[in-house]
Every structure is written in C-alpha cells, then in structure tokens.
Amino acid sequence: MADGLPDYKSLHAQYAQARRRKEREQEVVSRRSQRPEQSSAPEELRFKTSHLLLVVLFSWFLLLHVLGLYFFTKGFLLTRLVLDDQSECAISPLAPDDDHDQANGSPAAGCWHPKSFEKAVVIIVDALRYDFTVPFHPVSEGEAPHHFHNALPFFYDTAVQQPHNAFLLPFIADPPTTTLQRLKGLTTGTLPTFIDAGSNFAGTAIEEDNLISQLRSAGKNVVHLGDDTWHSLFPGYFDANLTRKYDSFNVWDLHTVDNGVTEHLIPLLQPANTSRWDVLIGHYLGVDHAGHRYGPDHPAMTAKLQQMDAVFREVISLLDDSTLLVVMGDHGMDVKGDHGGESFDEVQAALWMYSKKGIFGRRTPEVVHPPASAHERPVAQIDLVPTLALLLGLPIPFNNLGAPIEEAFLGRDGRNWENLAVASRLAGAQIKRYQSEYAKARGLDSSSTAGPLARWAEATAKWTAVASHRAKASATEWTETYDAFSIYQRETVGICRSLWARFDVASMIAGILILGAGLVLLLLYGSRLGEADIKVTPFLLVRILTGMVVGAVGGSSLSLLASDLTTPVDGVLLGCAGGGFVGLGSGMLNVSDRVRGLLPASLWSWLAIVFTVSQSIGYASNSYTIWEDEILLYFLATFGLLAAISSSRRQDLVERTLGTYQAVLFILLTRCASFSRLCREEQMPYCRSTYYASANSSTSAVWQLFIPFLLAIILPDIIKSYYRGTRSFEGAAVFWIGFAFRIGLLLAAVFWALDAADDGEWFTFGEGVLKTIRMSIAQLVLAIALAAGSTYYVWAKPCVSIATTRPGGGGSNGTASASLMDTDNGPTSTVTVLGYANTHGSRYVLLLTNFALAVLLLQKPMGHLSIGILVWQILCLMEILDTNALSGSVIGPVVLGLLGNFHFFKTGHQATLASIQWESAFIPLRTIQYPWSPLLVLGNTYGAQILATLAVPLVVMWKQPPKQPGLLANVARAITANMAFHATIHLACTMWAGHLRRHLMLYRIFSPRWMTSGAVLVFCDVVAIWIGLVAVRPNALSVAEVFGW
C-alpha cells in the first residue's frame, strides 16, 4: 500500500485467487475456469453499448419535453404585433384641415405642439421607489423610520418650495418590473408582454417607433452615460465620443457605474460643453444594486440615496432655463430589494421633473405638495413618452398609448386647461391612428374597438363645441374636454391589454399533447424495463429514428400545402415528435404483447402516485401554489411516518431498529429544514422569513455565518457514518470525504464570512481586496468540487479494502464484507473484502459530494443548512429503502423529486422572478462571463433539484454487491420514475396555466409556477441523463475492474 490506500492490483489478485480456490472446492471449474480479465471483454463491451444507447434514448425523451415546452410557450406567451409605422414631424395625427392647434411642423418650433425646451437631461435612478423620496410619516405609534427614509429629501423639498419649477409624483410601472422591459415602455409608450421578461439580460434592438429614434430623426445629438442595456436597445443611436457605457449586471458593485456617470455628467453640464449635446441620458445603478445586495433597509442604501441627493443638488446648479431635467425610477423593489414581479413595492417608482423656467402647475392648491404615498395621484410610466415628446417639440411615437402628464401642461397658474386639452387631443389622435392600423394588421372586427371609438366621438364632439367659441370658452369646458380625451385614452389602454392577452390555443394544445404523449410513453417504457428489455433498445431507437424521418417529411409537406396552419419549421418539429411517438409505440408492441406492471403493485407505488397526482391537482388552486412549500413538508413527513411504521414491522431486529431510526430521523430533518423560509408577498402576514437577517434584508445575520463552519465539521462525519455501516469507508472515500470534501466546506464557510465582512465593512483593507480574496477562494472551491472531484470520481477505485485473517484472527461481518477461504496463503486464512456489500453505492456517493460542495458554495449561509440537511436526508432515504426492500420501487425516485422541490424553497427561492438570486453569478467572477454566469445562477436556483436528481441512481446502487444482476436496467427504471414525476408536475402546471389563462392571478402566480416547473423539468432531465446516468458508467467499470463482470 502507498499513502494509506489499498493496492488494488494486489487486492484484485488476492480476491481472484481466493475465489478460484473456492470455485474449485465447489467443483464448478468447468463453468468458471477462466480469470475475470480473460472473460470480461464481451461483458464490458455489452455494458458500454447498452449504456450509450440508453443515454441516447433518454435524450430523445428530453427532446420531447423541450418540444412540448416550446410549442406551449409559443402559444401562451405571445408578443404583441409591432407596427413599423413611424410618426413624422410634418404629418399630424389630426385631420388635414384641422390645423389651428399645430405648430409649423418643424423641429425648430415644435412638430405637433410648440416646444417648451431646447434640451433635456433625463436621469434614471434604477429602482428608485417612491417612498425613498418622501418624508417618513409613522403610520402607528412607535413606528421608526427605515434606512431608506429621509435620505433623499431634495426632490420633495424642491417640489414643495418651488412648485412652479418642480413636481414629484408616483410613477407606476407595468409588470414585469425588469429594467429592459421598463426602458421599452419609457421610450415607446407601449405595454410590455410577459415573454419579454426572458430577454432582460440579453436585450435586442427596439425596432418600433420610440423617443430615441425621434430625437435622431430631428437631428438631435444624444449622449448616454451608465447602464449598457441602452446600447442593446438602441445600437448606434448615441454620440460615440461622449457616451460612456458600463456593465449593468454586477449587482455586487455599488459604485463603479454611479461614479462613472457622475464623473462624465457634471463636465457635460458645464456651459462650455452644453453645445455638444441636445439630450443627455444618465442611468445610475447603485440604488438597485444596494437593494439586491443588502435590501432597502440597510446603511448602504442610506449612503447611496444620500449620494444621489448630493449629485442632483449639483446638477440643478448647472442647468440653464432652456433645459428640462427629468429624474425617475424605472421600477421599485420589494422588502428584500428584488424586483421583476407585480407587487406594489415593485411597480411604484418616483418621477421628478425640474425646470428653471417655472412653467409647471397643479390642478388645485390642495395638491401642490407631493403625495404622501404612491397610492395617491399616480401617473403611468407610459405617460412620460407623450409628455417628453410634446415638451421637446417631437412627434409622439406611433405606438404610444400614454397620456400627457397634467402638471407639465397646466401652466404656472394651474389654469391653462386649453393647453392641456390640446396636448391630450394630440396624444389621443395618435392613439386612434395606432389603434386603427393595429386593427387592420390583426384583422380585428369593429366590435373590438367599438367602445373606445364611441369615447373618441364623444371627446371630439366636446372639442368641436368648445373650439367654436374658443376665445370665450371657460375653464370648465376645457376641463371637460380634457377629461373626455383622458377617458378615451384609458379605455383604449384597457382594450389593448385584453387584445395582447390573446393566446394561440392551437399551439398550446400541441405543446400539451406532446408533453402528455411523452409522459405516457415514458411510463410505458419504464413499466417494462428489465435486463432483457435493455437489449431491445437498438431496435426501439431505429423505430424512433425511422418515425422521426417519416414524420419530418410529412410535417414539412403539410406546412407547404397549408402554410396558413403552421410554419415549415413548426411542421417539421411536430412531424418529428409525432413520428417518434408512433415509432416507439409500435416498437414496444412488437417486442411485447402486453404492458407489464403498469398498475402499481404495492402500497408504496400507490403512495408515489398519490403524492404526484395530488400535487398536480393542487396547482389549479392559487392558494395551494402560494403555500406549496408548506404542503411539501406534510408530504415528506407522511412518507417518513409510513416508513417508520413499515420499518417497525420488519422481522430482523437490526433492520427494524435501523429502518425505524432512519425514518424518525428523516422526519426530524424535514422539520428542521422547514425553519429556513423566504416568504412570498401573498403569504404575508402569516409567514415570517428567516432566510436572511430580516424580512427587509438580503444579507445574512451574523449567527447564520456559523452554519457553514458547523457544516464543515459535522457533514463529512455524517457521511462517514453511513459508510462505516457497511465498512465502506475505505480507499477513495478516505481521502475525498475525510480530507478534500472537508477542506472545500471550510473554504466555502470562509468565503461567506469574508462576504459578510465586506458587506459590513468590518475591515479597512484597500477597496476590492476582500472581493479578490473571496473570488480566489470561490474559484478554488469550484475547482476542487468539479474539476478535481470529477477527475477523481472517474479514475477512483471502489471504496473497498482487503484484509487477510490468520487462524485465531476473528471473523468478519458478512453484511459489510465478503470472506473467502484462501488455502494458498495457509490452511485456514481468510481474505476479507471490506466494503463489499456496498461496492456500487459507496463509490457513487463520491459524485454526490462533489456536486454538493459546488452547490453549497453558491448558497447563502442559511442555504448551507438546507443543502446539508438534504444530503443527510438522501442517505437516510437510502437506508429506509434498503431496510424495507424498496430499492426497486418508484417511491424512492418520487420522494427524491419531492425532496428537491422542498429544498428549492428552503434555499431562499420561490416560484417568482423576484426571488432569483442574481448576485450568485458573481461569486467566483468579477464581471459577467458567458456561459458561466447563467450556469452559476442556475446552480444557485436549482441546486437542491440537482442533488436530488443525482441521487436517483443511488436508489438502486446503495448496498449492492459488485455483481448485482440487471443493475443498468434498475438504474434506467429509477431515472424513468424520476423523470416521469417532474414531467407530470410540469404537464399539470402547463394544463392549469392554459386553462386559467384569463385568471386574474395568471401572471402573478400560475405563469411563474409554470415557468419554474418547465425549467426544473428540463434541468433535471439534463442532470439525470447527462450527469447521473453517464456517471454510472465509470462507476460500474471501476467495480468490474476489481471484481469482474
């Protein structure tokens, strides 16, 4: 032996020698006279071929899931039809003979309306929530201000002290509240569609009419500073010499973007430089990043808001009378600092407009002061588009649905209702023109627009009446005219919302049928999997391939003959799916005249069906979906209770004791994990978040930092205890679990301690020093877990060792080892193989610990508790299944699916966009790097499902001796059951989302849950097939190298 590890060549030789002696004594020399090395080649080749074909077959099922998801998504998340029409300066939306309200049709004086300003400075303070800008007023006695209160008083003070120069209003965003979608709305005046949320970090250029393109058409020089998302949306629109863009995704960095914007903004506002630009756009990100990193109620937010306050005080000191200053938030943030959904805290932003001209007014003196909360006098974000366009003398973008903001057109005395009515009429006329063109393009009948057109007729009648005696018209008449056009605009927006919620039901049904048929075939295939059935896999694959080719030809021909029904690409995809279904189905009928074991054969199998089906039915209820984390707790506790009852009835005392103990431990661990919670808004006030330091924080409490260190101490020993039960803590396990895994856990704990130190500014190191140290540690941990760990797993020998017992040396535990008499070493010597009884399982666990280490690094400290418990529960489950002889039952893979979903919630996630922990993309990186940054976020989000899915092969490998017959078929059956569980959950979420597509809570509850289930299905399929199933190969080959086939 070397370095404390067994000599596997010697082990193999001794084992083979003892076995040959025993075989001779049993007079079976004629059947086993050859050495394992000499007869293993055909068996090894057969195994490798069967394994490869299984990977290909399961990959086909993965393809079906992707196709089903694609077709349903294509019909469910429709984008609106974008019109290419552009508003022109010289062509008013009003009738050609109605020119008494128009400017001269030139940018110099104003295209449709006399312009008020020559220049504009537009500043976005990302995630500037409205309550960040108004004074704190306690709602109840004893209520104290938060860190975000009273830190940015400048906007409120100027609006109160200089009401003619400034106004401050709540600025309400349309969900989804992601920056890219908000920028689209702020520049086009249109409403977002939900599917656009997927492109938040990979924006594509805006092709429809917008403010930026209108500025360029008017010959204006536009300069941009800050968030680089603007350059994805408007490539080539900004002055290349003056523009400065910065990476927008690094939420750990609070200062680089803000300091860079200010550094270039202030010089450009100097009188000597104002001739170099016409419109200056700045986009600050520090407030948003402070929210993501710390939450809004943190000293870092106070400092960032105070910084913004100082910046804008300096900015207005440099403005001249011809320049308009607009400051706004693009969205808000929830209590944890996240956004993306539609809660009120996420949609409420602030809008502050300032001008030294003093032209702003209020409807009544009572509303001079800004609203105390965002519930009072809010304006829609799309209203900024016509407001800015008319103030700058530009045409209103063609697709705009917004209305002019009152305060900007009422005049200094607040009585210029005529000007406001003129502006509202122009915006309404453009909306009517857009509505007409959209109806033509969509082929909509007149009933779809009858209501708004009636409102337009009423508003036009009022305008005609007041225009007939314009000079003598009263303020009341102008007010009524303005109100009539406002009613038309609001009703049109409502109609557009309903029109853009139209679904392609045929495509949705196609997706559901593909998912449903794939599930049925997966169940049929899994129900008849056996060692003999593995051998027919080549035949089934040929049938599938033939069916797909025939189907592709048929689908392509159909799409050409009926081009109005489907596109050529969709026709081919549908044909491939349908042909594959027919091919596999016919192939299975050919190799067997009946389906074996389709109905559950035991109570445990029925329990697996109850767990799966009851969950699937529950997703039809919004309350069930909201409280899913709590319901999963009861499912798992139910399994643990039934396992304890079953174990207590075992005849063998050891099995009865072990099974009952592990079942009770499983229940206690489930309850312990439930203390880690991140509440979604709909659960309040009946839920208390514990994942972070507080409900208003995105950082960990100090006491939570001890969890990773505690885990580094006890988790390796816990895993070791399960090895020692079968005397398997030998060979590769000694080094990896006893040393490498523990070191990796300790480094991960140090990483999060340094992260907290950096957040809390505990040390006074140079800027960025702690970040560099943390990043190096994180890279080292990932290298240990994935690079070194995977390499070690592939080449490691089985976790066994050999011992030779001389006379009087004692026996060995037959449950943990194999003992063979070796008379070649003496008349009574015994060769004992320690770990023999768990040869396959003990080695495969090494893979699980590799990925557990990587997943643990990506979780916050409280997530370490959950993932550590998950690893422990997986080993508990293996013992429960073994003692109750359930390794061949579907209950194991189904419970693993439940465990993965349960710990998804326990690691600080919910089925909402806002709960995605984007900062995990920067744990080992300083900037975004593709594809690593998205993979890190996926690892953080679905880490629990990754580990649970990787454990599926372990169900049939735990406590299995080397030559377990049908091992590959058993692994395939377990993977089939787990894939079927996730496929059923996703099919149910898909069907309910389609059925409830008009439900009020669709985009708040049902659609996010559907997206989550789709991501889990595809991700778990990939992990199960291309990691779990693939990893079975080196495991089996390593065992066979020592023990033969």
Side-chain angles (χ1 to χ4, degrees), residues 937-977:
V937 175
L938 288 172
N940 167 273
T941 306
Y942 302 115
Q945 281 101 338
I946 291 173
L947 296 181
T949 303
L950 278 177
V952 171
L954 194 60
V955 169
V956 297
M957 296 169 69
W958 186 252
K959 289 191 175 180
Q960 297 300 323
K963 294 190 174 184
Q964 179 67 21
L967 183 66
L968 185 59
N970 294 336
V971 170
R973 189 184 300 111
I975 290 176
T976 299

Side-chain angles (χ1 to χ4, degrees), residues 86-94 101-107 109-115 209 214 389-390 393-398 422 426-427 429-431 433:
Q86 303 281 323
S87 295
E88 297 182 26
C89 186
I91 303 176
S92 169
L94 299 171
D101 297 311
Q102 302 176 48
N104 63 4
S106 68
C111 292
W112 299 351
H113 184 275
K115 68 179 179 181
D209 198 7
Q214 287 294 342
L390 296 178
L394 301 172
I396 298 174
F398 192 87
V422 168
L426 283 167
Q430 177 53 47
I431 291 172
R433 183 163 64 169

